Amino acid sequence: MPAVLEIEGLRKTYKSRRRGTRNALDGFDMRVDAGQVHGFLGPNGSGKTTTLRTLLGLIRPDGGRMALLGHEVPDALPTVAGQVGAIVESPQFFPHFTARDTLSLLAGAGEVPAVRVDEVLELVGLRDRSGERVKTYSLGMKQRLAVASALLKNPKLLILDEPANGLDPGGIREMRTLMRTLAESGMTVVLSSHILGEIQLICDSVTIISLGRRVAFGPVDEVLAQHSSGAVRIRLEAVSDLPVATEALTQAGIRVTGHPDHLMLAGVDKPASVTRLLAEKNLYVSELAPIAVDLESVFLELTATAPVPGQHRQVDESMKVGGTGQPGPAGGGWGA
Amino acid sequence: MSLFRTELRRLSKRRFTRYMTLLGLLVLAAVVVGVFFTNQKIDAGQLARAERQADQQYQEQVRWSEQERVACEQAKTAGTATDGRYPDDCSVITPPPREEIKAEWFLPSTFDFKETFDETLIPFAAILALVGFVIGASFVGAEWSTGGMMNLLLWRPKRLTVLLTKLAALLTGILAVTLPAAVLWFAGFWAVANFRGSTEKMTSGVWQSFMLTGVRGVVLVLVLTTIGFALASLGRHTAMALGGVVAVMVVGQFGLGILLSMASVRFAEAWLLPTYALAWMTKTVTLQDWNSCNATYYGECKPATMDITWQQSSVLLSVGVVVILGAALWAMRRRDIS
Ligand SMILES: Nc1ncnc2c1ncn2[C@@H]1O[C@H](COP(=O)(O)OP(=O)(O)O)[C@@H](O)[C@H]1O
Ligand SMILES: [Mg+2]
């Protein structure tokens, strides 16, 4: 499949006279294939918006190369801009115009036929409110308008930066359906989001970013498989055998958490080894279930942003790949 | 072309544009109406009466100065102390020449098209330049501060083209208001002169000169519009442009004015921007240095002068536009948009 979006070694450094330099993007790579719904995940301040802005020519990178629809950007942006619909960060519009005026001005500037305005208004559910001023819209309605403006071009590539922001549950579900429909019609969709359950439901593949670098990428199930933590739940025929089993497993180097009627094991490579170990002690397993991980826990593990009781995690305290390779908070703040 | 038309549509859709334009036009109309009601047509009877009054005044002056001269000479021969009441040489006490006392002083004001119309073009240009400045600043400033510019650049990534097209649309819009307003202004004052003054002695040369003043006025409006636009784009906010100008005018100009006059610099007005705008409209502004004034006995004064010409103003205006617009374009090309 041809790549619709390619980024290699992208760098962006913000310089501040008082606080030194900050590498918002630090050799970031990304690839999105045609026809996919691609999730772009990362903690706050990890560089998602910076990536999308750079890609769209709004900010100037300090290094790396990017291509959209097979054209090198930013040089070829005038050629591809008509095929890339995007919303970046929170939607912003001139507050005193109506939704219809806003869209019709964009359509005028982009030489899109005026009928398309009504189509997209219908699509995002703003048909009946399109004559009202954007100032009076709720956050979710502005978000819908932003999606409408991105769809106006009927793009080949749709880039949405946190489109679920401010949407109601029904709206999120509609957005999900809309995105699937668009992808089925051949559009490639890239969306950044924090609602990981959502991403897991609608995305074919993901890229996870932390402190300006890619920490994981690929199809969702592969990422999940690679990063399943080896958690296994076991039950024994006799509940009274649980303490003995705990001792045996702990001796074999497996982390065990006891529960009244079962044990949770962590760090198990091959579940079969557990069965063998217990059988040797005449303990018989009645149930052995590898626990499926979800994207959220993988995300928390990969970016090292899982909450720790009693600590207030600061932004930028997340996984830094490259350096030492150790999970845990790494320096990356102002300074350096 | 589609972008240009769209920007023109955006400009005219904005309520700020509409209200400011309306306000500007209302002020202009108020000026015409005001001039209409404060002037009168002068008939031959009034003119004759005024001439008689001027004559009377002259005779009074003659009598008075004669008395004073006699008193002065008497004081001189008597040798009484005069406490500087009289000059050393009594013969300098003379009446003012007859032509110094004008019949107009005794007439209600009247609107002579030939004499006064070009003066009215100054407030015309000033009001529309102000309107153009704030509309220009708000047009692009609001786009920056509400994120509209960013949205547009996602559609049209060529930044300089976008900014210059916006400017072209703005200037077109301002011109579309200014030109008809100028025609109405000519017509309005022609009517005022017709009913409340005179339209006599208009030669083609006078017409030509008025037209040229009008053209210079329109140019001034466009220049200030461009500067407002460029400043707001540079600061990425309407308030930046307006604040900047208020700062320059108040702190810069008033402060400078006070400072210069305290240091008793000669021709202090030569350092103030409005002088150049005025010189642009009137072709020359003659500054006078009243400190070097040699007064005659009845208060006439011949100060040293300095001319500021419209050519000097044109240099200043062009340099201003080139520098400010250049900076705005450069910033548009270089700066990150977030
Ligand atoms: N204009 C800017 N000046 C300085 N730092 C910036 C600027 N924009 C973004 N950053 C920094 O770059 C990092 C990445 O930001 P961003 O891409 O917005 O994160 P997110 O992944 O939440 O969208 C953050 O640490 C942010 O503080
Ligand atoms: Mg963001």
Side-chain angles (χ1 to χ4, degrees), chain B residues 172-194:
Chain B
T172 308
I174 294 291
L175 212 54
V177 172
T178 306
L179 290 183
V183 171
L184 288 178
W185 192 256
F186 268 83
F189 277 106
W190 183 258
V192 169
N194 231 333

Side-chain angles (χ1 to χ4, degrees), chain B residues 82-280:
Chain B
T82 57
D83 310 331
R85 189 177 164 208
Y86 300 115
D88 293 341
D89 179 5
C90 290
S91 66
V92 299
I93 304 179
T94 51
R98 171 64 184 88
E99 64 272 15
E100 283 294 305
I101 295 166
K102 299 201 165 70
E104 287 100 90
W105 297 358
F106 306 96
L107 282 173
S109 65
T110 183
F111 193 88
D112 185 342
F113 196 80
K114 178 172 181 280
E115 292 298 317
T116 25
F117 177 69
D118 55 354
E119 280 165 32
T120 71
L121 285 169
I122 296 169
F124 173 81
I127 290 164
L128 287 182
L130 190 67
V131 169
F133 184 91
V134 292
I135 289 180
S138 122
F139 180 54
V140 73
E143 282 286 285
W144 275 116
S145 57
T146 60
M149 186 66 95
M150 193 195 82
N151 269 331
L152 189 58
L153 288 174
L154 294 180
W155 289 72
R156 293 295 196 124
K158 289 187 178 158
R159 296 191 187 179
L160 290 190
T161 311
V162 167
L163 196 68
L164 287 173
T165 309
K166 270 186 189 294
L167 179 60
L170 171 70
L171 294 181
T172 308
I174 294 291
L175 212 54
V177 172
T178 306
L179 290 183
V183 171
L184 288 178
W185 192 256
F186 268 83
F189 277 106
W190 183 258
V192 169
N194 231 333
F195 293 110
R196 300 288 169 135
S198 96
T199 52
E200 283 162 25
K201 299 192 213 120
M202 288 298 294
T203 61
S204 69
V206 175
W207 274 115
Q208 199 181 354
S209 150
F210 285 179
M211 290 308 251
L212 285 177
T213 310
V215 169
R216 283 201 307 277
V218 172
V219 170
L220 189 66
V221 171
L222 296 183
V223 163
L224 263 117
T225 305
T226 307
I227 289 178
F229 176 90
L231 282 178
S233 182
L234 206 51
R236 301 195 172 181
H237 211 289
T238 312
M240 288 291 297
L242 300 183
V245 163
V246 169
V248 167
M249 289 318 274
V250 174
V251 180
Q253 297 287 293
F254 277 111
L256 193 63
I258 290 167
L259 222 78
L260 290 173
S261 70
M262 269 182 1
S264 33
V265 173
R266 297 183 80 198
F267 309 120
E269 294 96 328
W271 296 93
L272 305 182
L273 293 174
T275 310
Y276 289 87
L278 192 63
W280 172 252

